[in-house]
Amino acid sequence: MTQDRPNNKAARGRFISFEGIDGAGKSTHIAYVAELLGARGKTVVSSREPGGTELGEKLRELLLHQKMHLETEALLMFASRREHIAQVIAPALARGDWVISDRFTDASFAYQGGGRGLDRAKMEVLEHWVHPALQPDLTLLFDVPLEVARARLDATRTLDKFEQEQADFFAACRGEYLRRAAQFPSRITVIDSTQSIEATRARLAGILEHLL
Ligand SMILES: Nc1ncnc2c1ncn2[C@@H]1O[C@H](COP(=O)(O)OP(=O)(O)O)[C@@H](O)[C@H]1O
Ligand SMILES: Cc1cn([C@H]2C[C@H](O)[C@@H](COP(=O)(O)OP(=O)(O)O)O2)c(=O)[nH]c1=O
C-alpha cells in the first residue's frame, strides 16, 4: 500500500475533453497531450465522441453521414456518450487512468444546440440523465475565427456531414462554445488556436502542469 493509494484503491484519474469547431486544431494536439501525460507517468486512455466503443463507432458512422431529425441526432450523440461513459470513461477513471476525449457534451451544446438550434433545456435534460455526476476535470477549447478553421479544413480532407455546413452554422457553434466557456470558467480553458503549433504546445504544457 502506498500513501496516495489508500486501501489499494487507485486515486481517481482525470478526465480531459478537447473541443472546438471543425478545423480548429484539436486533433493535432491530442497526441501531444497524451505523450506529455505519458512522460509524467500517467496511463492515458485516448478516445473520441461520437464513438469510443464498438457501438459508438457504428453510431458515429450514421451521425456523420446520414441525414436525420435534429432530435434523433441529439439523442444518438447522447446514446453514444452513455455507452462511452459506461464502457470506457468510468472504468478508466476508477482505475486511476487519465482519459482524454476528442469531444464530449459541450459539443452537443455547440452543434445540436448552437449550430442547429435545439432547445438548450432539452440538452440539459439529456446531460442530467446521461451523466448527472460526471464532468471533465478540464476542457480545452481550441478557438479560431471561422475563416481560419475553414482554410485548414479545405486544405486537408474530404468533408463529412457537419464539416459541409455553412459559415453561419459554425459561427453559432463557436458562439455557444464561448458562451459555455464564460459560464464554466474553472472547467473550460480557451486556447487561442491561431497561434503556431509550437506556441500552442507550450501553452498546453503550462495548463496541464496545474493538473499534474
Ligand atoms: N496551430 C496551427 N497552425 C497551423 N495549422 C494547424 C494548426 N493546428 C492545426 N493545424 C492544421 O489544421 C488542420 C486541421 O487540424 P485538426 O487538428 O485536424 O482540426 P480539428 O481536429 O480541430 O478538426 C490540420 O491539417 C492541421 O495540421
Ligand atoms: C460529440 C459530438 C460531435 N458532434 C460533431 C462535431 C464534428 O463535426 C463531428 C465529429 O467530430 P470530430 O471527431 O471532431 O471530427 P473529425 O474526426 O472529422 O475531426 O461530430 C456533434 O455534432 N455533437 C456532439 O455531441
Side-chain angles (χ1 to χ4, degrees), residues 116-131:
R116 299 226 198 278
L118 183 61
D119 184 1
R120 193 180 291 149
K122 289 191 174 171
M123 214 90 62
E124 284 167 353
V125 169
L126 291 173
E127 180 182 33
H128 292 140
W129 182 13
V130 168
H131 54 100

Side-chain angles (χ1 to χ4, degrees), residues 132-202:
L134 175 75
Q135 286 293 342
D137 296 289
L138 171 68
T139 296
L140 298 166
L141 172 55
F142 290 78
D143 184 56
V144 286
L146 305 189
E147 318 77 69
V148 176
R150 175 53 60 190
R152 286 180 184 171
L153 279 184
D154 287 345
T156 50
R157 56 191 187 229
T158 317
L159 304 181
D160 66 37
K161 187 180 94 181
F162 293 99
E163 291 166 345
Q164 286 169 22
E165 288 287 349
Q166 302 301 310
D168 56 349
F169 174 84
F170 288 109
C173 292
R174 185 185 184 207
E176 178 64 8
Y177 268 135
L178 292 173
R179 192 195 64 76
R180 284 179 70 76
Q183 188 181 0
F184 305 109
S186 59
R187 173 172 68 83
I188 304 180
T189 297
V190 181
I191 311 283
D192 173 4
S193 199
T194 61
Q195 301 293 303
S196 68
I197 291 174
E198 293 67 32
T200 304
R201 285 183 169 193

